[in-house]
Amino acid sequence: MRAIVLDAARSRPEVREVPQPKAPLGGVVVRVAATGLCRSDWHAWAGHDDDVTYPHVPGHELAGVVARVGAGVRRWAVGDRVTVPFVCGCGRCTWCASGNAQVCPEQQQPGFTHWGSFAEYVALHAADTNLVAIPEAADFAAAASLGCRFATSYRGLIGRARLQPGEWVTVIGAGGVGLSAVMIAKAAGARVVAVDRSPDALALADELGADHTLPTHGGRDLTEALSDLTDGGAHVAVDAVGSEETCEAAIFSLRRRGRHVQIGLLPPVDGHPRVPMARAIGWELDLLGSHGMAAADYPAMLALIEAGVLQPQQLIARTIGLAEAAALLPAYADTTAAGITMIDPSR
Ligand SMILES: [Zn+2]
Ligand SMILES: [Zn+2]
């Protein structure tokens, strides 16, 4: 099969013929129909993820058709249309049993712990725990977008921050996670300010219903501007990027006792990410981590998609082939392209 192969951290990604994966015990092989290009793939390329061993095939937001079924799988058959959360639980531990596979200590992540979906086929583990059937209403590309950015955003706002109607939300970064957050927050009846450096991204946020959009360098102090727009600070803030600056901007956009959701992966400074903890203590802020969403939590989100309340397909800006994706990956962290980029591995 064709796949994007990384021979080493920061090496030039190459499209190459590699052997097809075998179905693991309790797992399946899926023929990939659509797979999203995400900032986390860039982290895998850059060598930031300890789970990655090279040569490596990245890719973790995927949808497709079950092509082979391993021994012990009960719920799935060849031909089923499926997607999967990027964190796949083991299906055996207490965390998985309680519906929290997103924090399973034995988790597998396609594109990190094993070869991922920037390929024609991908192996997925513990299929009965992790696979999600794609509803009729969703196409492969829309379903693929759920696996990481959209579902993580949904879980962060609804499951972790318990967002309430009428509350103010600041979304720092209007990429895939941030635009998903705008859509989900508006559907939940909240009021939203989106912040980004890219005018195109802000225009998309505006189209998705953001009450206000603000450029990162708006001329005025960002914290002050956000405070004015949100009557003294937001109830909930999302760092949808993952940098020292965006994390700080999100936390300082909150009112007292506000809830911060950290979704973007934070690069370490001297071994650990630097977070403004003094403000969290003094203002009694809740700092919430969010790490994907378990398959067990998908039905409520899928019901909103089937009802047309949430429309993840609106976030997809372009579809490209493997060769173009390989060329884009090394520069992905600096991209200013608005919306989600989807890969069709058959191209
Ligand atoms: Zn588990
Ligand atoms: Zn991702």
Side-chain angles (χ1 to χ4, degrees), residues 22 110 131 135 137 164 175 223 253 274 288 290:
K22 294 191 170 62
L131 262 51
Q164 300 300 314
T223 302
S253 78
R274 215 152 41 192
L288 304 166
S290 191

Side-chain angles (χ1 to χ4, degrees), residues 38-41 60-61 86 148-149:
C38 169
R39 194 178 165 88
S40 304
D41 299 312
H60 60 281
E61 299 186 3
F86 79 89
C148 169
R149 289 170 280 188

